[in-house]
Amino acid sequence: MTLAKDLITLDDVSGGRITLGIGAGGNGFDATALGQEAWTPKERADRFGEFVALLDRLLTEDAVTERGTFYAADEARNVPGCVQRPRLPFAVAATGPRGMRLAARYGQAWVTTGDPKLYEEGTPEQSVATLRGQIERLGKACAEAGREVADLDKILLTGFTPDRTRPLESVDAFVDFAGRHRDLGFTEIVIHWPIPDSDFAADQAVFEAIATEALAQLG
């Protein structure tokens, strides 16, 4: 309920320019940051599915009453609702079948980081093959939901792919990377802001040149 009201406020103050990025999360430090035991993959998926469905209702209906396994609402009112109608867009991060179905049903965009198993020792060719397969599975999930996969934006977060440093080597390198992934069906390529002495280290000048020059070269 608090998140829904926060989102409605942000949608209002931004003039209807906010998109919510949402995912089930994973293992690691962020899974236990609040001091709790990490959820199992099944529980994460169960919670995520219930949460997305309820949030969709909270942002589209004037009053919601719901009793779920993990989340509940009792006459939760969110008048006047979002500036964007029927609600602000969801960009749903998903790679597994259950997440893909959520993206197909509720998403206006789909987000992926590729395959985390390829992060350390994978090749760019393996990454492209994995991403192609993910888009194919998204298409099947959309067909099952009665939607066209073309209706969803497809967003790639590049900081976790095997060739994660390649796009920031030069403008030409980024244009080549973005072009190959555009051919797979991606509509947005997200590159990480340079952070010195980290996996995201890069030349700030190259980053700025990409931001100002690359789009024109992509055509």
Side-chain angles (χ1 to χ4, degrees), residues 95-142:
T95 55
R98 293 180 65 182
M100 289 287 194
R101 288 195 292 270
L102 284 175
R105 180 173 179 181
Y106 296 104
Q108 284 65 56
W110 164 70
V111 183
T112 183
T113 58
D115 184 350
K117 295 177 182 177
L118 300 177
Y119 181 82
E120 294 293 344
E121 299 181 1
T123 67
E125 292 74 22
Q126 288 174 317
S127 179
V128 165
T130 293
L131 293 169
R132 182 182 293 110
Q134 288 180 354
I135 289 180
E136 289 173 355
R137 291 195 296 276
L138 178 66
K140 292 178 182 178
C142 284

mmCIF file of all heavy atoms in Angstrom, residues 95-142:
data_model
loop_
_atom_site.group_PDB
_atom_site.id
_atom_site.type_symbol
_atom_site.label_atom_id
_atom_site.label_comp_id
_atom_site.label_asym_id
_atom_site.label_seq_id
_atom_site.Cartn_x
_atom_site.Cartn_y
_atom_site.Cartn_z
ATOM 1 N N THR A 95 13.597 -14.118 -16.035
ATOM 2 C CA THR A 95 14.267 -15.058 -16.932
ATOM 3 C C THR A 95 13.630 -16.445 -16.857
ATOM 4 O O THR A 95 13.716 -17.207 -17.815
ATOM 5 C CB THR A 95 15.764 -15.182 -16.601
ATOM 6 O OG1 THR A 95 15.930 -15.545 -15.219
ATOM 7 C CG2 THR A 95 16.488 -13.855 -16.856
ATOM 8 N N GLY A 96 13.007 -16.774 -15.736
ATOM 9 C CA GLY A 96 12.367 -18.076 -15.572
ATOM 10 C C GLY A 96 10.943 -18.072 -16.100
ATOM 11 O O GLY A 96 10.371 -17.021 -16.396
ATOM 12 N N PRO A 97 10.328 -19.248 -16.184
ATOM 13 C CA PRO A 97 8.985 -19.343 -16.766
ATOM 14 C C PRO A 97 7.915 -18.578 -16.001
ATOM 15 O O PRO A 97 7.042 -17.956 -16.611
ATOM 16 C CB PRO A 97 8.706 -20.856 -16.780
ATOM 17 C CG PRO A 97 9.692 -21.451 -15.816
ATOM 18 C CD PRO A 97 10.885 -20.569 -15.856
ATOM 19 N N ARG A 98 7.965 -18.611 -14.673
ATOM 20 C CA ARG A 98 6.936 -17.906 -13.909
ATOM 21 C C ARG A 98 7.082 -16.397 -14.057
ATOM 22 O O ARG A 98 6.098 -15.671 -14.217
ATOM 23 C CB ARG A 98 7.015 -18.309 -12.427
ATOM 24 C CG ARG A 98 6.653 -19.759 -12.179
ATOM 25 C CD ARG A 98 6.745 -20.126 -10.710
ATOM 26 N NE ARG A 98 5.758 -19.402 -9.911
ATOM 27 C CZ ARG A 98 5.653 -19.520 -8.591
ATOM 28 N NH1 ARG A 98 6.495 -20.327 -7.932
ATOM 29 N NH2 ARG A 98 4.733 -18.855 -7.933
ATOM 30 N N GLY A 99 8.320 -15.929 -14.024
ATOM 31 C CA GLY A 99 8.543 -14.501 -14.215
ATOM 32 C C GLY A 99 8.156 -14.047 -15.606
ATOM 33 O O GLY A 99 7.602 -12.956 -15.794
ATOM 34 N N MET A 100 8.449 -14.867 -16.609
ATOM 35 C CA MET A 100 8.075 -14.536 -17.984
ATOM 36 C C MET A 100 6.564 -14.393 -18.105
ATOM 37 O O MET A 100 6.051 -13.503 -18.801
ATOM 38 C CB MET A 100 8.571 -15.617 -18.945
ATOM 39 C CG MET A 100 10.069 -15.655 -19.140
ATOM 40 S SD MET A 100 10.671 -14.288 -20.141
ATOM 41 C CE MET A 100 12.331 -14.850 -20.519
ATOM 42 N N ARG A 101 5.824 -15.270 -17.434
ATOM 43 C CA ARG A 101 4.363 -15.178 -17.494
ATOM 44 C C ARG A 101 3.871 -13.894 -16.843
ATOM 45 O O ARG A 101 2.911 -13.271 -17.314
ATOM 46 C CB ARG A 101 3.734 -16.412 -16.832
ATOM 47 C CG ARG A 101 3.888 -17.686 -17.651
ATOM 48 C CD ARG A 101 2.970 -18.788 -17.156
ATOM 49 N NE ARG A 101 3.352 -19.280 -15.837
ATOM 50 C CZ ARG A 101 4.204 -20.290 -15.634
ATOM 51 N NH1 ARG A 101 4.792 -20.887 -16.677
ATOM 52 N NH2 ARG A 101 4.491 -20.699 -14.416
ATOM 53 N N LEU A 102 4.531 -13.486 -15.746
ATOM 54 C CA LEU A 102 4.159 -12.218 -15.114
ATOM 55 C C LEU A 102 4.444 -11.042 -16.039
ATOM 56 O O LEU A 102 3.632 -10.116 -16.166
ATOM 57 C CB LEU A 102 4.933 -12.034 -13.804
ATOM 58 C CG LEU A 102 4.478 -12.846 -12.605
ATOM 59 C CD1 LEU A 102 5.440 -12.632 -11.444
ATOM 60 C CD2 LEU A 102 3.064 -12.456 -12.189
ATOM 61 N N ALA A 103 5.611 -11.069 -16.692
ATOM 62 C CA ALA A 103 5.946 -9.995 -17.629
ATOM 63 C C ALA A 103 4.938 -9.945 -18.763
ATOM 64 O O ALA A 103 4.517 -8.863 -19.195
ATOM 65 C CB ALA A 103 7.359 -10.202 -18.173
ATOM 66 N N ALA A 104 4.551 -11.115 -19.266
ATOM 67 C CA ALA A 104 3.604 -11.162 -20.373
ATOM 68 C C ALA A 104 2.231 -10.658 -19.962
ATOM 69 O O ALA A 104 1.526 -10.026 -20.755
ATOM 70 C CB ALA A 104 3.499 -12.593 -20.903
ATOM 71 N N ARG A 105 1.840 -10.908 -18.727
ATOM 72 C CA ARG A 105 0.498 -10.504 -18.282
ATOM 73 C C ARG A 105 0.447 -9.059 -17.822
ATOM 74 O O ARG A 105 -0.487 -8.326 -18.149
ATOM 75 C CB ARG A 105 0.026 -11.422 -17.155
ATOM 76 C CG ARG A 105 -1.361 -11.059 -16.639
ATOM 77 C CD ARG A 105 -1.884 -12.058 -15.644
ATOM 78 N NE ARG A 105 -3.203 -11.671 -15.154
ATOM 79 C CZ ARG A 105 -3.908 -12.348 -14.241
ATOM 80 N NH1 ARG A 105 -3.389 -13.470 -13.733
ATOM 81 N NH2 ARG A 105 -5.085 -11.931 -13.845
ATOM 82 N N TYR A 106 1.466 -8.634 -17.045
ATOM 83 C CA TYR A 106 1.383 -7.324 -16.401
ATOM 84 C C TYR A 106 2.366 -6.287 -16.956
ATOM 85 O O TYR A 106 2.220 -5.096 -16.681
ATOM 86 C CB TYR A 106 1.648 -7.460 -14.896
ATOM 87 C CG TYR A 106 0.616 -8.278 -14.164
ATOM 88 C CD1 TYR A 106 0.894 -9.589 -13.769
ATOM 89 C CD2 TYR A 106 -0.624 -7.742 -13.852
ATOM 90 C CE1 TYR A 106 -0.049 -10.341 -13.088
ATOM 91 C CE2 TYR A 106 -1.579 -8.493 -13.165
ATOM 92 C CZ TYR A 106 -1.283 -9.795 -12.791
ATOM 93 O OH TYR A 106 -2.214 -10.540 -12.123
ATOM 94 N N GLY A 107 3.367 -6.719 -17.689
ATOM 95 C CA GLY A 107 4.443 -5.809 -18.066
ATOM 96 C C GLY A 107 4.157 -4.986 -19.309
ATOM 97 O O GLY A 107 3.484 -5.441 -20.233
ATOM 98 N N GLN A 108 4.671 -3.783 -19.278
ATOM 99 C CA GLN A 108 4.752 -2.976 -20.492
ATOM 100 C C GLN A 108 6.179 -3.047 -21.044
ATOM 101 O O GLN A 108 6.442 -2.613 -22.153
ATOM 102 C CB GLN A 108 4.363 -1.520 -20.196
ATOM 103 C CG GLN A 108 2.866 -1.300 -20.019
ATOM 104 C CD GLN A 108 2.311 -2.019 -18.786
ATOM 105 O OE1 GLN A 108 2.795 -1.807 -17.665
ATOM 106 N NE2 GLN A 108 1.319 -2.873 -18.983
ATOM 107 N N ALA A 109 7.063 -3.603 -20.233
ATOM 108 C CA ALA A 109 8.443 -3.838 -20.652
ATOM 109 C C ALA A 109 8.957 -5.077 -19.911
ATOM 110 O O ALA A 109 8.449 -5.433 -18.845
ATOM 111 C CB ALA A 109 9.323 -2.631 -20.340
ATOM 112 N N TRP A 110 9.956 -5.708 -20.506
ATOM 113 C CA TRP A 110 10.617 -6.877 -19.914
ATOM 114 C C TRP A 110 12.099 -6.542 -19.764
ATOM 115 O O TRP A 110 12.706 -5.925 -20.642
ATOM 116 C CB TRP A 110 10.428 -8.088 -20.818
ATOM 117 C CG TRP A 110 11.352 -9.239 -20.544
ATOM 118 C CD1 TRP A 110 11.346 -10.070 -19.463
ATOM 119 C CD2 TRP A 110 12.432 -9.696 -21.389
ATOM 120 N NE1 TRP A 110 12.355 -11.009 -19.565
ATOM 121 C CE2 TRP A 110 13.031 -10.798 -20.746
ATOM 122 C CE3 TRP A 110 12.944 -9.268 -22.606
ATOM 123 C CZ2 TRP A 110 14.112 -11.481 -21.281
ATOM 124 C CZ3 TRP A 110 14.027 -9.948 -23.159
ATOM 125 C CH2 TRP A 110 14.595 -11.045 -22.498
ATOM 126 N N VAL A 111 12.678 -6.952 -18.636
ATOM 127 C CA VAL A 111 14.072 -6.638 -18.327
ATOM 128 C C VAL A 111 14.855 -7.927 -18.096
ATOM 129 O O VAL A 111 14.365 -8.852 -17.438
ATOM 130 C CB VAL A 111 14.181 -5.759 -17.057
ATOM 131 C CG1 VAL A 111 15.626 -5.374 -16.790
ATOM 132 C CG2 VAL A 111 13.305 -4.516 -17.180
ATOM 133 N N THR A 112 16.082 -7.975 -18.626
ATOM 134 C CA THR A 112 16.951 -9.120 -18.366
ATOM 135 C C THR A 112 18.392 -8.651 -18.181
ATOM 136 O O THR A 112 18.785 -7.603 -18.710
ATOM 137 C CB THR A 112 16.892 -10.152 -19.510
ATOM 138 O OG1 THR A 112 17.707 -11.291 -19.174
ATOM 139 C CG2 THR A 112 17.396 -9.555 -20.818
ATOM 140 N N THR A 113 19.147 -9.438 -17.432
ATOM 141 C CA THR A 113 20.593 -9.236 -17.322
ATOM 142 C C THR A 113 21.339 -10.348 -18.047
ATOM 143 O O THR A 113 22.557 -10.460 -17.927
ATOM 144 C CB THR A 113 21.037 -9.219 -15.847
ATOM 145 O OG1 THR A 113 20.651 -10.455 -15.225
ATOM 146 C CG2 THR A 113 20.408 -8.056 -15.096
ATOM 147 N N GLY A 114 20.603 -11.169 -18.787
ATOM 148 C CA GLY A 114 21.222 -12.319 -19.440
ATOM 149 C C GLY A 114 21.245 -13.512 -18.507
ATOM 150 O O GLY A 114 20.362 -13.684 -17.680
ATOM 151 N N ASP A 115 22.261 -14.320 -18.620
ATOM 152 C CA ASP A 115 22.411 -15.514 -17.790
ATOM 153 C C ASP A 115 23.555 -15.290 -16.802
ATOM 154 O O ASP A 115 24.713 -15.187 -17.206
ATOM 155 C CB ASP A 115 22.711 -16.729 -18.668
ATOM 156 C CG ASP A 115 22.787 -18.028 -17.871
ATOM 157 O OD1 ASP A 115 22.795 -17.970 -16.620
ATOM 158 O OD2 ASP A 115 22.840 -19.103 -18.495
ATOM 159 N N PRO A 116 23.264 -15.223 -15.482
ATOM 160 C CA PRO A 116 24.335 -14.986 -14.510
ATOM 161 C C PRO A 116 25.409 -16.065 -14.507
ATOM 162 O O PRO A 116 26.540 -15.820 -14.084
ATOM 163 C CB PRO A 116 23.582 -14.945 -13.168
ATOM 164 C CG PRO A 116 22.278 -15.626 -13.421
ATOM 165 C CD PRO A 116 21.943 -15.346 -14.845
ATOM 166 N N LYS A 117 25.088 -17.248 -15.010
ATOM 167 C CA LYS A 117 26.076 -18.324 -15.062
ATOM 168 C C LYS A 117 27.195 -18.019 -16.053
ATOM 169 O O LYS A 117 28.272 -18.620 -15.988
ATOM 170 C CB LYS A 117 25.398 -19.639 -15.438
ATOM 171 C CG LYS A 117 24.392 -20.138 -14.399
ATOM 172 C CD LYS A 117 23.710 -21.405 -14.870
ATOM 173 C CE LYS A 117 22.662 -21.874 -13.865
ATOM 174 N NZ LYS A 117 21.933 -23.087 -14.344
ATOM 175 N N LEU A 118 26.933 -17.097 -16.969
ATOM 176 C CA LEU A 118 27.936 -16.742 -17.968
ATOM 177 C C LEU A 118 28.789 -15.556 -17.546
ATOM 178 O O LEU A 118 29.708 -15.168 -18.279
ATOM 179 C CB LEU A 118 27.247 -16.412 -19.305
ATOM 180 C CG LEU A 118 26.409 -17.519 -19.943
ATOM 181 C CD1 LEU A 118 25.736 -16.998 -21.211
ATOM 182 C CD2 LEU A 118 27.277 -18.738 -20.262
ATOM 183 N N TYR A 119 28.500 -14.989 -16.387
ATOM 184 C CA TYR A 119 29.141 -13.737 -15.971
ATOM 185 C C TYR A 119 30.661 -13.836 -15.957
ATOM 186 O O TYR A 119 31.357 -12.956 -16.490
ATOM 187 C CB TYR A 119 28.630 -13.350 -14.584
ATOM 188 C CG TYR A 119 29.199 -12.053 -14.054
ATOM 189 C CD1 TYR A 119 28.657 -10.835 -14.440
ATOM 190 C CD2 TYR A 119 30.267 -12.051 -13.152
ATOM 191 C CE1 TYR A 119 29.156 -9.637 -13.945
ATOM 192 C CE2 TYR A 119 30.780 -10.865 -12.663
ATOM 193 C CZ TYR A 119 30.223 -9.665 -13.054
ATOM 194 O OH TYR A 119 30.731 -8.487 -12.575
ATOM 195 N N GLU A 120 31.203 -14.889 -15.381
ATOM 196 C CA GLU A 120 32.654 -14.995 -15.200
ATOM 197 C C GLU A 120 33.373 -15.551 -16.424
ATOM 198 O O GLU A 120 34.393 -15.013 -16.853
ATOM 199 C CB GLU A 120 32.964 -15.866 -13.978
ATOM 200 C CG GLU A 120 32.520 -15.261 -12.651
ATOM 201 C CD GLU A 120 33.311 -14.012 -12.281
ATOM 202 O OE1 GLU A 120 34.389 -13.787 -12.874
ATOM 203 O OE2 GLU A 120 32.850 -13.261 -11.412
ATOM 204 N N GLU A 121 32.860 -16.635 -16.996
ATOM 205 C CA GLU A 121 33.613 -17.356 -18.023
ATOM 206 C C GLU A 121 32.860 -17.542 -19.329
ATOM 207 O O GLU A 121 33.349 -18.215 -20.236
ATOM 208 C CB GLU A 121 34.041 -18.728 -17.478
ATOM 209 C CG GLU A 121 34.943 -18.631 -16.243
ATOM 210 C CD GLU A 121 35.374 -19.992 -15.744
ATOM 211 O OE1 GLU A 121 34.988 -21.007 -16.369
ATOM 212 O OE2 GLU A 121 36.100 -20.053 -14.727
ATOM 213 N N GLY A 122 31.700 -16.941 -19.452
ATOM 214 C CA GLY A 122 30.941 -17.079 -20.685
ATOM 215 C C GLY A 122 31.529 -16.247 -21.803
ATOM 216 O O GLY A 122 32.385 -15.381 -21.585
ATOM 217 N N THR A 123 31.060 -16.488 -23.007
ATOM 218 C CA THR A 123 31.512 -15.744 -24.178
ATOM 219 C C THR A 123 30.388 -14.855 -24.691
ATOM 220 O O THR A 123 29.204 -15.120 -24.413
ATOM 221 C CB THR A 123 31.938 -16.701 -25.302
ATOM 222 O OG1 THR A 123 30.772 -17.407 -25.784
ATOM 223 C CG2 THR A 123 32.984 -17.683 -24.813
ATOM 224 N N PRO A 124 30.714 -13.811 -25.455
ATOM 225 C CA PRO A 124 29.661 -12.986 -26.050
ATOM 226 C C PRO A 124 28.701 -13.805 -26.912
ATOM 227 O O PRO A 124 27.492 -13.534 -26.922
ATOM 228 C CB PRO A 124 30.451 -11.981 -26.889
ATOM 229 C CG PRO A 124 31.770 -11.864 -26.197
ATOM 230 C CD PRO A 124 32.051 -13.249 -25.694
ATOM 231 N N GLU A 125 29.224 -14.806 -27.618
ATOM 232 C CA GLU A 125 28.373 -15.637 -28.470
ATOM 233 C C GLU A 125 27.379 -16.441 -27.629
ATOM 234 O O GLU A 125 26.201 -16.576 -27.992
ATOM 235 C CB GLU A 125 29.238 -16.586 -29.306
ATOM 236 C CG GLU A 125 30.095 -15.899 -30.358
ATOM 237 C CD GLU A 125 31.295 -15.159 -29.770
ATOM 238 O OE1 GLU A 125 31.705 -15.509 -28.632
ATOM 239 O OE2 GLU A 125 31.817 -14.257 -30.451
ATOM 240 N N GLN A 126 27.844 -16.972 -26.492
ATOM 241 C CA GLN A 126 26.939 -17.696 -25.598
ATOM 242 C C GLN A 126 25.877 -16.762 -25.035
ATOM 243 O O GLN A 126 24.708 -17.139 -24.894
ATOM 244 C CB GLN A 126 27.733 -18.330 -24.461
ATOM 245 C CG GLN A 126 28.584 -19.513 -24.875
ATOM 246 C CD GLN A 126 29.448 -20.006 -23.722
ATOM 247 O OE1 GLN A 126 30.046 -19.215 -22.989
ATOM 248 N NE2 GLN A 126 29.530 -21.324 -23.557
ATOM 249 N N SER A 127 26.274 -15.534 -24.718
ATOM 250 C CA SER A 127 25.332 -14.559 -24.180
ATOM 251 C C SER A 127 24.250 -14.234 -25.201
ATOM 252 O O SER A 127 23.061 -14.193 -24.870
ATOM 253 C CB SER A 127 26.070 -13.283 -23.770
ATOM 254 O OG SER A 127 25.167 -12.318 -23.267
ATOM 255 N N VAL A 128 24.647 -14.005 -26.445
ATOM 256 C CA VAL A 128 23.674 -13.707 -27.502
ATOM 257 C C VAL A 128 22.701 -14.871 -27.679
ATOM 258 O O VAL A 128 21.485 -14.668 -27.816
ATOM 259 C CB VAL A 128 24.402 -13.395 -28.828
ATOM 260 C CG1 VAL A 128 23.427 -13.439 -30.005
ATOM 261 C CG2 VAL A 128 25.064 -12.025 -28.756
ATOM 262 N N ALA A 129 23.221 -16.098 -27.659
ATOM 263 C CA ALA A 129 22.349 -17.271 -27.802
ATOM 264 C C ALA A 129 21.354 -17.354 -26.646
ATOM 265 O O ALA A 129 20.169 -17.671 -26.852
ATOM 266 C CB ALA A 129 23.193 -18.544 -27.874
ATOM 267 N N THR A 130 21.830 -17.070 -25.430
ATOM 268 C CA THR A 130 20.952 -17.098 -24.263
ATOM 269 C C THR A 130 19.864 -16.041 -24.378
ATOM 270 O O THR A 130 18.677 -16.305 -24.122
ATOM 271 C CB THR A 130 21.768 -16.867 -22.983
ATOM 272 O OG1 THR A 130 22.631 -17.984 -22.769
ATOM 273 C CG2 THR A 130 20.846 -16.706 -21.776
ATOM 274 N N LEU A 131 20.244 -14.839 -24.751
ATOM 275 C CA LEU A 131 19.272 -13.754 -24.870
ATOM 276 C C LEU A 131 18.253 -14.038 -25.964
ATOM 277 O O LEU A 131 17.064 -13.731 -25.808
ATOM 278 C CB LEU A 131 20.002 -12.436 -25.137
ATOM 279 C CG LEU A 131 20.874 -11.934 -23.983
ATOM 280 C CD1 LEU A 131 21.759 -10.779 -24.451
ATOM 281 C CD2 LEU A 131 20.010 -11.506 -22.806
ATOM 282 N N ARG A 132 18.701 -14.630 -27.065
ATOM 283 C CA ARG A 132 17.769 -14.992 -28.131
ATOM 284 C C ARG A 132 16.734 -15.993 -27.603
ATOM 285 O O ARG A 132 15.530 -15.876 -27.880
ATOM 286 C CB ARG A 132 18.521 -15.585 -29.307
ATOM 287 C CG ARG A 132 17.611 -15.938 -30.484
ATOM 288 C CD ARG A 132 18.381 -16.579 -31.642
ATOM 289 N NE ARG A 132 19.296 -15.627 -32.264
ATOM 290 C CZ ARG A 132 20.620 -15.683 -32.175
ATOM 291 N NH1 ARG A 132 21.202 -16.677 -31.464
ATOM 292 N NH2 ARG A 132 21.377 -14.799 -32.771
ATOM 293 N N GLY A 133 17.211 -16.962 -26.834
ATOM 294 C CA GLY A 133 16.303 -17.950 -26.254
ATOM 295 C C GLY A 133 15.325 -17.328 -25.277
ATOM 296 O O GLY A 133 14.142 -17.703 -25.233
ATOM 297 N N GLN A 134 15.795 -16.360 -24.483
ATOM 298 C CA GLN A 134 14.896 -15.691 -23.537
ATOM 299 C C GLN A 134 13.794 -14.938 -24.271
ATOM 300 O O GLN A 134 12.625 -14.975 -23.864
ATOM 301 C CB GLN A 134 15.697 -14.747 -22.647
ATOM 302 C CG GLN A 134 16.572 -15.453 -21.625
ATOM 303 C CD GLN A 134 17.355 -14.485 -20.755
ATOM 304 O OE1 GLN A 134 17.336 -13.281 -20.967
ATOM 305 N NE2 GLN A 134 18.064 -15.021 -19.775
ATOM 306 N N ILE A 135 14.148 -14.248 -25.338
ATOM 307 C CA ILE A 135 13.136 -13.513 -26.095
ATOM 308 C C ILE A 135 12.134 -14.475 -26.739
ATOM 309 O O ILE A 135 10.931 -14.187 -26.799
ATOM 310 C CB ILE A 135 13.806 -12.606 -27.141
ATOM 311 C CG1 ILE A 135 14.517 -11.444 -26.438
ATOM 312 C CG2 ILE A 135 12.785 -12.080 -28.141
ATOM 313 C CD1 ILE A 135 15.222 -10.477 -27.370
ATOM 314 N N GLU A 136 12.598 -15.614 -27.188
ATOM 315 C CA GLU A 136 11.684 -16.611 -27.746
ATOM 316 C C GLU A 136 10.708 -17.107 -26.681
ATOM 317 O O GLU A 136 9.503 -17.254 -26.949
ATOM 318 C CB GLU A 136 12.482 -17.779 -28.329
ATOM 319 C CG GLU A 136 13.240 -17.422 -29.602
ATOM 320 C CD GLU A 136 14.157 -18.543 -30.065
ATOM 321 O OE1 GLU A 136 14.268 -19.555 -29.326
ATOM 322 O OE2 GLU A 136 14.766 -18.401 -31.141
ATOM 323 N N ARG A 137 11.208 -17.338 -25.462
ATOM 324 C CA ARG A 137 10.319 -17.798 -24.391
ATOM 325 C C ARG A 137 9.346 -16.700 -23.982
ATOM 326 O O ARG A 137 8.185 -16.977 -23.655
ATOM 327 C CB ARG A 137 11.152 -18.255 -23.190
ATOM 328 C CG ARG A 137 11.940 -19.542 -23.467
ATOM 329 C CD ARG A 137 12.458 -20.170 -22.190
ATOM 330 N NE ARG A 137 13.425 -19.333 -21.505
ATOM 331 C CZ ARG A 137 14.710 -19.287 -21.783
ATOM 332 N NH1 ARG A 137 15.203 -20.016 -22.778
ATOM 333 N NH2 ARG A 137 15.535 -18.519 -21.089
ATOM 334 N N LEU A 138 9.808 -15.449 -24.013
ATOM 335 C CA LEU A 138 8.900 -14.342 -23.734
ATOM 336 C C LEU A 138 7.792 -14.299 -24.774
ATOM 337 O O LEU A 138 6.617 -14.057 -24.434
ATOM 338 C CB LEU A 138 9.672 -13.027 -23.726
ATOM 339 C CG LEU A 138 8.838 -11.760 -23.493
ATOM 340 C CD1 LEU A 138 8.258 -11.748 -22.081
ATOM 341 C CD2 LEU A 138 9.686 -10.507 -23.730
ATOM 342 N N GLY A 139 8.142 -14.523 -26.027
ATOM 343 C CA GLY A 139 7.136 -14.533 -27.086
ATOM 344 C C GLY A 139 6.074 -15.600 -26.848
ATOM 345 O O GLY A 139 4.877 -15.359 -27.047
ATOM 346 N N LYS A 140 6.504 -16.790 -26.413
ATOM 347 C CA LYS A 140 5.557 -17.862 -26.130
ATOM 348 C C LYS A 140 4.653 -17.496 -24.953
ATOM 349 O O LYS A 140 3.450 -17.760 -24.982
ATOM 350 C CB LYS A 140 6.312 -19.159 -25.842
ATOM 351 C CG LYS A 140 7.041 -19.730 -27.056
ATOM 352 C CD LYS A 140 7.813 -20.987 -26.702
ATOM 353 C CE LYS A 140 8.567 -21.524 -27.915
ATOM 354 N NZ LYS A 140 9.379 -22.728 -27.571
ATOM 355 N N ALA A 141 5.238 -16.861 -23.910
ATOM 356 C CA ALA A 141 4.437 -16.457 -22.763
ATOM 357 C C ALA A 141 3.420 -15.390 -23.159
ATOM 358 O O ALA A 141 2.276 -15.401 -22.686
ATOM 359 C CB ALA A 141 5.344 -15.935 -21.650
ATOM 360 N N CYS A 142 3.824 -14.480 -24.026
ATOM 361 C CA CYS A 142 2.893 -13.447 -24.498
ATOM 362 C C CYS A 142 1.762 -14.070 -25.302
ATOM 363 O O CYS A 142 0.590 -13.681 -25.156
ATOM 364 C CB CYS A 142 3.634 -12.415 -25.338
ATOM 365 S SG CYS A 142 4.638 -11.254 -24.384
#
